[in-house]
């Protein structure tokens, strides 16, 4: 993480990503925390968000609640990620990978459709 002026940036690979102040504060606090001495310390994994049991990460539900407590929404980001995955993967692969019901996986695939035929059909002039 780096700070330029009043902005904070997280650099993944070579691309700096601007962070909201509340998230930058959380990540700064997280990186300054001492190493855990309880169960997560017994794990060989270096989780950014360690869970309560050895070798497990923090659950998505708990992480979502913690972000919400700091007024950081996660629903729009989750939806964007699901649409991006649905563009690249068929529902048969997406569902089992994310634990989605087959109907839900198919819904995300339809939502991510890049088919413009409905738009073009709506733009056609009415028949005489």
């Amino acid at each position: 993480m780096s700070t330029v002026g009043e902005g904070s940036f997280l650099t993944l690979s070579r691309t700096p990503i601007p962070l909201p102040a509340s998230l930058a504060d959380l990540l700064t606090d997280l990186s300054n925390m001492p190493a855990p001495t309880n169960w997560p310390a017994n794990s060989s994994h270096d989780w950014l968000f360690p869970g309560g049991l050895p070798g497990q990460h923090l659950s998505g539900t708990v992480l979502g609640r913690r972000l919400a407590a700091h007024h950081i929404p996660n629903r729009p980001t989750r939806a964007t990620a699901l649409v991006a995955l649905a563009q690249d993967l068929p529902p048969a692969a997406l569902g089992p990978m994310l634990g989605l019901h087959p109907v839900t996986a198919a819904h995300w695939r339809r939502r991510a459709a890049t088919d413009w035929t409905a738009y073009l059909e709506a733009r056609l002039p009415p028949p005489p």
Side-chain angles (χ1 to χ4, degrees), residues 16-49:
I17 303 166
L19 298 174
S22 54
L23 182 57
D25 293 342
L26 285 173
L27 289 176
T28 301
D29 292 347
L30 183 63
S31 66
N32 292 335
M33 287 178 65
T37 57
N38 55 0
W39 279 106
N42 296 328
S43 171
S44 60
H45 300 287
D46 292 325
W47 296 108
L48 179 59
F49 301 106

PDB file of all heavy atoms in Angstrom, residues 16-49:
ATOM      1  N   PRO A  16      -1.644   0.445  -9.589  1.00  0.00           N
ATOM      2  CA  PRO A  16      -2.132   1.020  -8.334  1.00  0.00           C
ATOM      3  C   PRO A  16      -3.649   1.240  -8.401  1.00  0.00           C
ATOM      4  O   PRO A  16      -4.169   1.735  -9.388  1.00  0.00           O
ATOM      5  CB  PRO A  16      -1.386   2.355  -8.219  1.00  0.00           C
ATOM      6  CG  PRO A  16      -0.907   2.664  -9.587  1.00  0.00           C
ATOM      7  CD  PRO A  16      -0.858   1.393 -10.364  1.00  0.00           C
ATOM      8  N   ILE A  17      -4.334   0.820  -7.345  1.00  0.00           N
ATOM      9  CA  ILE A  17      -5.785   0.940  -7.266  1.00  0.00           C
ATOM     10  C   ILE A  17      -6.112   1.949  -6.174  1.00  0.00           C
ATOM     11  O   ILE A  17      -5.712   1.759  -5.022  1.00  0.00           O
ATOM     12  CB  ILE A  17      -6.423  -0.423  -6.930  1.00  0.00           C
ATOM     13  CG1 ILE A  17      -6.025  -1.466  -7.978  1.00  0.00           C
ATOM     14  CG2 ILE A  17      -7.934  -0.297  -6.802  1.00  0.00           C
ATOM     15  CD1 ILE A  17      -6.320  -2.877  -7.562  1.00  0.00           C
ATOM     16  N   PRO A  18      -6.830   3.033  -6.521  1.00  0.00           N
ATOM     17  CA  PRO A  18      -7.183   4.001  -5.476  1.00  0.00           C
ATOM     18  C   PRO A  18      -8.159   3.369  -4.480  1.00  0.00           C
ATOM     19  O   PRO A  18      -9.051   2.617  -4.852  1.00  0.00           O
ATOM     20  CB  PRO A  18      -7.843   5.145  -6.244  1.00  0.00           C
ATOM     21  CG  PRO A  18      -8.201   4.603  -7.571  1.00  0.00           C
ATOM     22  CD  PRO A  18      -7.334   3.414  -7.832  1.00  0.00           C
ATOM     23  N   LEU A  19      -7.950   3.661  -3.203  1.00  0.00           N
ATOM     24  CA  LEU A  19      -8.780   3.100  -2.145  1.00  0.00           C
ATOM     25  C   LEU A  19      -9.579   4.186  -1.452  1.00  0.00           C
ATOM     26  O   LEU A  19      -9.071   5.286  -1.230  1.00  0.00           O
ATOM     27  CB  LEU A  19      -7.908   2.408  -1.089  1.00  0.00           C
ATOM     28  CG  LEU A  19      -7.072   1.229  -1.534  1.00  0.00           C
ATOM     29  CD1 LEU A  19      -6.163   0.781  -0.398  1.00  0.00           C
ATOM     30  CD2 LEU A  19      -7.970   0.092  -1.966  1.00  0.00           C
ATOM     31  N   PRO A  20     -10.832   3.890  -1.071  1.00  0.00           N
ATOM     32  CA  PRO A  20     -11.561   4.831  -0.226  1.00  0.00           C
ATOM     33  C   PRO A  20     -10.837   4.961   1.109  1.00  0.00           C
ATOM     34  O   PRO A  20     -10.181   4.010   1.566  1.00  0.00           O
ATOM     35  CB  PRO A  20     -12.934   4.187  -0.038  1.00  0.00           C
ATOM     36  CG  PRO A  20     -12.988   3.020  -0.946  1.00  0.00           C
ATOM     37  CD  PRO A  20     -11.597   2.711  -1.400  1.00  0.00           C
ATOM     38  N   ALA A  21     -10.953   6.101   1.740  1.00  0.00           N
ATOM     39  CA  ALA A  21     -10.225   6.351   2.991  1.00  0.00           C
ATOM     40  C   ALA A  21     -10.540   5.302   4.048  1.00  0.00           C
ATOM     41  O   ALA A  21      -9.640   4.834   4.754  1.00  0.00           O
ATOM     42  CB  ALA A  21     -10.547   7.751   3.513  1.00  0.00           C
ATOM     43  N   SER A  22     -11.811   4.896   4.160  1.00  0.00           N
ATOM     44  CA  SER A  22     -12.180   3.924   5.195  1.00  0.00           C
ATOM     45  C   SER A  22     -11.505   2.569   4.949  1.00  0.00           C
ATOM     46  O   SER A  22     -11.029   1.929   5.883  1.00  0.00           O
ATOM     47  CB  SER A  22     -13.696   3.773   5.275  1.00  0.00           C
ATOM     48  OG  SER A  22     -14.227   3.470   4.004  1.00  0.00           O
ATOM     49  N   LEU A  23     -11.426   2.138   3.693  1.00  0.00           N
ATOM     50  CA  LEU A  23     -10.761   0.873   3.381  1.00  0.00           C
ATOM     51  C   LEU A  23      -9.254   0.997   3.573  1.00  0.00           C
ATOM     52  O   LEU A  23      -8.603   0.077   4.081  1.00  0.00           O
ATOM     53  CB  LEU A  23     -11.089   0.426   1.954  1.00  0.00           C
ATOM     54  CG  LEU A  23     -10.493  -0.901   1.511  1.00  0.00           C
ATOM     55  CD1 LEU A  23     -10.906  -2.025   2.456  1.00  0.00           C
ATOM     56  CD2 LEU A  23     -10.896  -1.220   0.089  1.00  0.00           C
ATOM     57  N   ALA A  24      -8.680   2.124   3.200  1.00  0.00           N
ATOM     58  CA  ALA A  24      -7.243   2.333   3.399  1.00  0.00           C
ATOM     59  C   ALA A  24      -6.893   2.276   4.885  1.00  0.00           C
ATOM     60  O   ALA A  24      -5.888   1.672   5.267  1.00  0.00           O
ATOM     61  CB  ALA A  24      -6.818   3.670   2.806  1.00  0.00           C
ATOM     62  N   ASP A  25      -7.753   2.869   5.721  1.00  0.00           N
ATOM     63  CA  ASP A  25      -7.513   2.823   7.172  1.00  0.00           C
ATOM     64  C   ASP A  25      -7.569   1.391   7.689  1.00  0.00           C
ATOM     65  O   ASP A  25      -6.739   0.980   8.501  1.00  0.00           O
ATOM     66  CB  ASP A  25      -8.539   3.683   7.919  1.00  0.00           C
ATOM     67  CG  ASP A  25      -8.381   5.167   7.634  1.00  0.00           C
ATOM     68  OD1 ASP A  25      -7.298   5.578   7.142  1.00  0.00           O
ATOM     69  OD2 ASP A  25      -9.345   5.915   7.902  1.00  0.00           O
ATOM     70  N   LEU A  26      -8.556   0.617   7.203  1.00  0.00           N
ATOM     71  CA  LEU A  26      -8.675  -0.777   7.635  1.00  0.00           C
ATOM     72  C   LEU A  26      -7.459  -1.604   7.225  1.00  0.00           C
ATOM     73  O   LEU A  26      -6.929  -2.390   8.011  1.00  0.00           O
ATOM     74  CB  LEU A  26      -9.933  -1.414   7.037  1.00  0.00           C
ATOM     75  CG  LEU A  26     -11.263  -1.019   7.650  1.00  0.00           C
ATOM     76  CD1 LEU A  26     -12.405  -1.613   6.840  1.00  0.00           C
ATOM     77  CD2 LEU A  26     -11.345  -1.488   9.084  1.00  0.00           C
ATOM     78  N   LEU A  27      -7.023  -1.434   5.974  1.00  0.00           N
ATOM     79  CA  LEU A  27      -5.861  -2.200   5.498  1.00  0.00           C
ATOM     80  C   LEU A  27      -4.587  -1.796   6.222  1.00  0.00           C
ATOM     81  O   LEU A  27      -3.726  -2.630   6.503  1.00  0.00           O
ATOM     82  CB  LEU A  27      -5.703  -2.051   3.994  1.00  0.00           C
ATOM     83  CG  LEU A  27      -6.763  -2.766   3.149  1.00  0.00           C
ATOM     84  CD1 LEU A  27      -6.555  -2.477   1.673  1.00  0.00           C
ATOM     85  CD2 LEU A  27      -6.754  -4.254   3.414  1.00  0.00           C
ATOM     86  N   THR A  28      -4.462  -0.521   6.537  1.00  0.00           N
ATOM     87  CA  THR A  28      -3.306  -0.063   7.309  1.00  0.00           C
ATOM     88  C   THR A  28      -3.312  -0.692   8.694  1.00  0.00           C
ATOM     89  O   THR A  28      -2.292  -1.200   9.163  1.00  0.00           O
ATOM     90  CB  THR A  28      -3.290   1.473   7.411  1.00  0.00           C
ATOM     91  OG1 THR A  28      -3.236   2.009   6.095  1.00  0.00           O
ATOM     92  CG2 THR A  28      -2.110   1.964   8.213  1.00  0.00           C
ATOM     93  N   ASP A  29      -4.485  -0.668   9.340  1.00  0.00           N
ATOM     94  CA  ASP A  29      -4.602  -1.295  10.663  1.00  0.00           C
ATOM     95  C   ASP A  29      -4.298  -2.787  10.580  1.00  0.00           C
ATOM     96  O   ASP A  29      -3.619  -3.339  11.443  1.00  0.00           O
ATOM     97  CB  ASP A  29      -5.998  -1.085  11.238  1.00  0.00           C
ATOM     98  CG  ASP A  29      -6.286   0.370  11.595  1.00  0.00           C
ATOM     99  OD1 ASP A  29      -5.327   1.170  11.637  1.00  0.00           O
ATOM    100  OD2 ASP A  29      -7.475   0.688  11.817  1.00  0.00           O
ATOM    101  N   LEU A  30      -4.808  -3.444   9.539  1.00  0.00           N
ATOM    102  CA  LEU A  30      -4.593  -4.879   9.380  1.00  0.00           C
ATOM    103  C   LEU A  30      -3.115  -5.200   9.192  1.00  0.00           C
ATOM    104  O   LEU A  30      -2.586  -6.139   9.789  1.00  0.00           O
ATOM    105  CB  LEU A  30      -5.397  -5.397   8.185  1.00  0.00           C
ATOM    106  CG  LEU A  30      -5.331  -6.885   7.917  1.00  0.00           C
ATOM    107  CD1 LEU A  30      -5.914  -7.666   9.084  1.00  0.00           C
ATOM    108  CD2 LEU A  30      -6.056  -7.217   6.631  1.00  0.00           C
ATOM    109  N   SER A  31      -2.424  -4.416   8.380  1.00  0.00           N
ATOM    110  CA  SER A  31      -1.004  -4.694   8.138  1.00  0.00           C
ATOM    111  C   SER A  31      -0.141  -4.386   9.356  1.00  0.00           C
ATOM    112  O   SER A  31       0.947  -4.944   9.501  1.00  0.00           O
ATOM    113  CB  SER A  31      -0.506  -3.915   6.921  1.00  0.00           C
ATOM    114  OG  SER A  31      -0.538  -2.534   7.176  1.00  0.00           O
ATOM    115  N   ASN A  32      -0.627  -3.507  10.242  1.00  0.00           N
ATOM    116  CA  ASN A  32       0.138  -3.167  11.441  1.00  0.00           C
ATOM    117  C   ASN A  32      -0.157  -4.076  12.628  1.00  0.00           C
ATOM    118  O   ASN A  32       0.489  -3.959  13.666  1.00  0.00           O
ATOM    119  CB  ASN A  32      -0.140  -1.713  11.849  1.00  0.00           C
ATOM    120  CG  ASN A  32       0.426  -0.726  10.850  1.00  0.00           C
ATOM    121  OD1 ASN A  32       1.375  -1.026  10.133  1.00  0.00           O
ATOM    122  ND2 ASN A  32      -0.169   0.439  10.777  1.00  0.00           N
ATOM    123  N   MET A  33      -1.118  -4.987  12.469  1.00  0.00           N
ATOM    124  CA  MET A  33      -1.455  -5.893  13.571  1.00  0.00           C
ATOM    125  C   MET A  33      -0.322  -6.895  13.792  1.00  0.00           C
ATOM    126  O   MET A  33       0.314  -7.345  12.837  1.00  0.00           O
ATOM    127  CB  MET A  33      -2.750  -6.653  13.252  1.00  0.00           C
ATOM    128  CG  MET A  33      -3.997  -5.808  13.335  1.00  0.00           C
ATOM    129  SD  MET A  33      -5.491  -6.728  12.907  1.00  0.00           S
ATOM    130  CE  MET A  33      -5.554  -7.916  14.213  1.00  0.00           C
ATOM    131  N   PRO A  34      -0.099  -7.254  15.057  1.00  0.00           N
ATOM    132  CA  PRO A  34       0.915  -8.292  15.309  1.00  0.00           C
ATOM    133  C   PRO A  34       0.432  -9.642  14.783  1.00  0.00           C
ATOM    134  O   PRO A  34      -0.769  -9.858  14.608  1.00  0.00           O
ATOM    135  CB  PRO A  34       1.045  -8.298  16.837  1.00  0.00           C
ATOM    136  CG  PRO A  34      -0.221  -7.691  17.335  1.00  0.00           C
ATOM    137  CD  PRO A  34      -0.713  -6.757  16.272  1.00  0.00           C
ATOM    138  N   ALA A  35       1.360 -10.526  14.541  1.00  0.00           N
ATOM    139  CA  ALA A  35       1.007 -11.866  14.061  1.00  0.00           C
ATOM    140  C   ALA A  35       0.131 -12.563  15.090  1.00  0.00           C
ATOM    141  O   ALA A  35       0.314 -12.376  16.299  1.00  0.00           O
ATOM    142  CB  ALA A  35       2.274 -12.674  13.816  1.00  0.00           C
ATOM    143  N   PRO A  36      -0.842 -13.360  14.659  1.00  0.00           N
ATOM    144  CA  PRO A  36      -1.725 -14.039  15.609  1.00  0.00           C
ATOM    145  C   PRO A  36      -0.963 -15.056  16.446  1.00  0.00           C
ATOM    146  O   PRO A  36       0.025 -15.635  16.011  1.00  0.00           O
ATOM    147  CB  PRO A  36      -2.762 -14.725  14.715  1.00  0.00           C
ATOM    148  CG  PRO A  36      -2.125 -14.828  13.382  1.00  0.00           C
ATOM    149  CD  PRO A  36      -1.162 -13.681  13.279  1.00  0.00           C
ATOM    150  N   THR A  37      -1.445 -15.248  17.656  1.00  0.00           N
ATOM    151  CA  THR A  37      -0.808 -16.224  18.550  1.00  0.00           C
ATOM    152  C   THR A  37      -1.752 -17.366  18.876  1.00  0.00           C
ATOM    153  O   THR A  37      -1.386 -18.273  19.587  1.00  0.00           O
ATOM    154  CB  THR A  37      -0.379 -15.548  19.867  1.00  0.00           C
ATOM    155  OG1 THR A  37      -1.535 -14.941  20.455  1.00  0.00           O
ATOM    156  CG2 THR A  37       0.682 -14.501  19.615  1.00  0.00           C
ATOM    157  N   ASN A  38      -2.990 -17.327  18.352  1.00  0.00           N
ATOM    158  CA  ASN A  38      -3.947 -18.389  18.641  1.00  0.00           C
ATOM    159  C   ASN A  38      -3.958 -19.397  17.490  1.00  0.00           C
ATOM    160  O   ASN A  38      -2.951 -19.605  16.825  1.00  0.00           O
ATOM    161  CB  ASN A  38      -5.329 -17.796  18.892  1.00  0.00           C
ATOM    162  CG  ASN A  38      -5.789 -16.919  17.742  1.00  0.00           C
ATOM    163  OD1 ASN A  38      -5.084 -16.755  16.757  1.00  0.00           O
ATOM    164  ND2 ASN A  38      -6.962 -16.349  17.875  1.00  0.00           N
ATOM    165  N   TRP A  39      -5.098 -20.005  17.200  1.00  0.00           N
ATOM    166  CA  TRP A  39      -5.182 -21.045  16.183  1.00  0.00           C
ATOM    167  C   TRP A  39      -4.643 -20.635  14.819  1.00  0.00           C
ATOM    168  O   TRP A  39      -3.918 -21.397  14.190  1.00  0.00           O
ATOM    169  CB  TRP A  39      -6.625 -21.530  16.039  1.00  0.00           C
ATOM    170  CG  TRP A  39      -7.002 -22.519  17.087  1.00  0.00           C
ATOM    171  CD1 TRP A  39      -7.805 -22.304  18.168  1.00  0.00           C
ATOM    172  CD2 TRP A  39      -6.572 -23.858  17.189  1.00  0.00           C
ATOM    173  NE1 TRP A  39      -7.906 -23.419  18.934  1.00  0.00           N
ATOM    174  CE2 TRP A  39      -7.158 -24.410  18.345  1.00  0.00           C
ATOM    175  CE3 TRP A  39      -5.752 -24.675  16.429  1.00  0.00           C
ATOM    176  CZ2 TRP A  39      -6.953 -25.719  18.745  1.00  0.00           C
ATOM    177  CZ3 TRP A  39      -5.552 -25.978  16.819  1.00  0.00           C
ATOM    178  CH2 TRP A  39      -6.138 -26.488  17.965  1.00  0.00           C
ATOM    179  N   PRO A  40      -4.964 -19.449  14.290  1.00  0.00           N
ATOM    180  CA  PRO A  40      -4.431 -19.116  12.970  1.00  0.00           C
ATOM    181  C   PRO A  40      -2.900 -19.115  12.917  1.00  0.00           C
ATOM    182  O   PRO A  40      -2.312 -19.296  11.870  1.00  0.00           O
ATOM    183  CB  PRO A  40      -4.992 -17.721  12.698  1.00  0.00           C
ATOM    184  CG  PRO A  40      -6.257 -17.672  13.482  1.00  0.00           C
ATOM    185  CD  PRO A  40      -5.952 -18.453  14.729  1.00  0.00           C
ATOM    186  N   ALA A  41      -2.239 -18.925  14.067  1.00  0.00           N
ATOM    187  CA  ALA A  41      -0.776 -18.928  14.080  1.00  0.00           C
ATOM    188  C   ALA A  41      -0.224 -20.312  13.796  1.00  0.00           C
ATOM    189  O   ALA A  41       0.917 -20.460  13.359  1.00  0.00           O
ATOM    190  CB  ALA A  41      -0.263 -18.431  15.430  1.00  0.00           C
ATOM    191  N   ASN A  42      -1.028 -21.357  14.020  1.00  0.00           N
ATOM    192  CA  ASN A  42      -0.572 -22.724  13.794  1.00  0.00           C
ATOM    193  C   ASN A  42      -0.682 -23.144  12.337  1.00  0.00           C
ATOM    194  O   ASN A  42      -0.367 -24.267  11.991  1.00  0.00           O
ATOM    195  CB  ASN A  42      -1.392 -23.697  14.653  1.00  0.00           C
ATOM    196  CG  ASN A  42      -1.168 -23.455  16.121  1.00  0.00           C
ATOM    197  OD1 ASN A  42      -0.087 -23.049  16.526  1.00  0.00           O
ATOM    198  ND2 ASN A  42      -2.197 -23.675  16.925  1.00  0.00           N
ATOM    199  N   SER A  43      -1.153 -22.272  11.490  1.00  0.00           N
ATOM    200  CA  SER A  43      -1.375 -22.598  10.092  1.00  0.00           C
ATOM    201  C   SER A  43      -0.159 -22.237   9.252  1.00  0.00           C
ATOM    202  O   SER A  43       0.542 -21.283   9.540  1.00  0.00           O
ATOM    203  CB  SER A  43      -2.602 -21.833   9.587  1.00  0.00           C
ATOM    204  OG  SER A  43      -2.710 -21.966   8.207  1.00  0.00           O
ATOM    205  N   SER A  44       0.033 -23.008   8.194  1.00  0.00           N
ATOM    206  CA  SER A  44       1.137 -22.692   7.281  1.00  0.00           C
ATOM    207  C   SER A  44       0.695 -21.660   6.244  1.00  0.00           C
ATOM    208  O   SER A  44       1.499 -21.213   5.444  1.00  0.00           O
ATOM    209  CB  SER A  44       1.612 -23.965   6.576  1.00  0.00           C
ATOM    210  OG  SER A  44       0.540 -24.521   5.837  1.00  0.00           O
ATOM    211  N   HIS A  45      -0.585 -21.293   6.236  1.00  0.00           N
ATOM    212  CA  HIS A  45      -1.098 -20.327   5.274  1.00  0.00           C
ATOM    213  C   HIS A  45      -0.936 -18.910   5.815  1.00  0.00           C
ATOM    214  O   HIS A  45      -1.118 -18.661   6.997  1.00  0.00           O
ATOM    215  CB  HIS A  45      -2.579 -20.573   4.981  1.00  0.00           C
ATOM    216  CG  HIS A  45      -2.837 -21.932   4.407  1.00  0.00           C
ATOM    217  ND1 HIS A  45      -2.507 -22.273   3.118  1.00  0.00           N
ATOM    218  CD2 HIS A  45      -3.381 -23.043   4.952  1.00  0.00           C
ATOM    219  CE1 HIS A  45      -2.850 -23.516   2.894  1.00  0.00           C
ATOM    220  NE2 HIS A  45      -3.374 -24.012   3.988  1.00  0.00           N
ATOM    221  N   ASP A  46      -0.576 -18.003   4.946  1.00  0.00           N
ATOM    222  CA  ASP A  46      -0.474 -16.600   5.327  1.00  0.00           C
ATOM    223  C   ASP A  46      -1.704 -15.866   4.816  1.00  0.00           C
ATOM    224  O   ASP A  46      -1.641 -15.106   3.855  1.00  0.00           O
ATOM    225  CB  ASP A  46       0.806 -15.973   4.755  1.00  0.00           C
ATOM    226  CG  ASP A  46       2.052 -16.545   5.397  1.00  0.00           C
ATOM    227  OD1 ASP A  46       1.999 -16.854   6.599  1.00  0.00           O
ATOM    228  OD2 ASP A  46       3.064 -16.661   4.698  1.00  0.00           O
ATOM    229  N   TRP A  47      -2.859 -16.133   5.410  1.00  0.00           N
ATOM    230  CA  TRP A  47      -4.099 -15.510   4.989  1.00  0.00           C
ATOM    231  C   TRP A  47      -4.082 -14.032   5.345  1.00  0.00           C
ATOM    232  O   TRP A  47      -3.660 -13.645   6.433  1.00  0.00           O
ATOM    233  CB  TRP A  47      -5.300 -16.160   5.675  1.00  0.00           C
ATOM    234  CG  TRP A  47      -5.523 -17.593   5.341  1.00  0.00           C
ATOM    235  CD1 TRP A  47      -5.318 -18.664   6.157  1.00  0.00           C
ATOM    236  CD2 TRP A  47      -5.984 -18.122   4.095  1.00  0.00           C
ATOM    237  NE1 TRP A  47      -5.633 -19.816   5.498  1.00  0.00           N
ATOM    238  CE2 TRP A  47      -6.043 -19.522   4.229  1.00  0.00           C
ATOM    239  CE3 TRP A  47      -6.352 -17.548   2.888  1.00  0.00           C
ATOM    240  CZ2 TRP A  47      -6.470 -20.355   3.220  1.00  0.00           C
ATOM    241  CZ3 TRP A  47      -6.778 -18.375   1.872  1.00  0.00           C
ATOM    242  CH2 TRP A  47      -6.831 -19.763   2.032  1.00  0.00           C
ATOM    243  N   LEU A  48      -4.565 -13.195   4.443  1.00  0.00           N
ATOM    244  CA  LEU A  48      -4.738 -11.784   4.750  1.00  0.00           C
ATOM    245  C   LEU A  48      -5.840 -11.623   5.789  1.00  0.00           C
ATOM    246  O   LEU A  48      -5.760 -10.784   6.680  1.00  0.00           O
ATOM    247  CB  LEU A  48      -5.081 -10.992   3.478  1.00  0.00           C
ATOM    248  CG  LEU A  48      -5.310  -9.491   3.633  1.00  0.00           C
ATOM    249  CD1 LEU A  48      -4.072  -8.824   4.215  1.00  0.00           C
ATOM    250  CD2 LEU A  48      -5.679  -8.879   2.298  1.00  0.00           C
ATOM    251  N   PHE A  49      -6.873 -12.478   5.686  1.00  0.00           N
ATOM    252  CA  PHE A  49      -7.979 -12.459   6.631  1.00  0.00           C
ATOM    253  C   PHE A  49      -8.123 -13.859   7.222  1.00  0.00           C
ATOM    254  O   PHE A  49      -8.959 -14.641   6.789  1.00  0.00           O
ATOM    255  CB  PHE A  49      -9.283 -12.048   5.929  1.00  0.00           C
ATOM    256  CG  PHE A  49      -9.213 -10.703   5.277  1.00  0.00           C
ATOM    257  CD1 PHE A  49      -9.114 -10.582   3.903  1.00  0.00           C
ATOM    258  CD2 PHE A  49      -9.233  -9.539   6.038  1.00  0.00           C
ATOM    259  CE1 PHE A  49      -9.040  -9.343   3.295  1.00  0.00           C
ATOM    260  CE2 PHE A  49      -9.163  -8.296   5.440  1.00  0.00           C
ATOM    261  CZ  PHE A  49      -9.066  -8.195   4.067  1.00  0.00           C
TER     262      PHE A  49
END
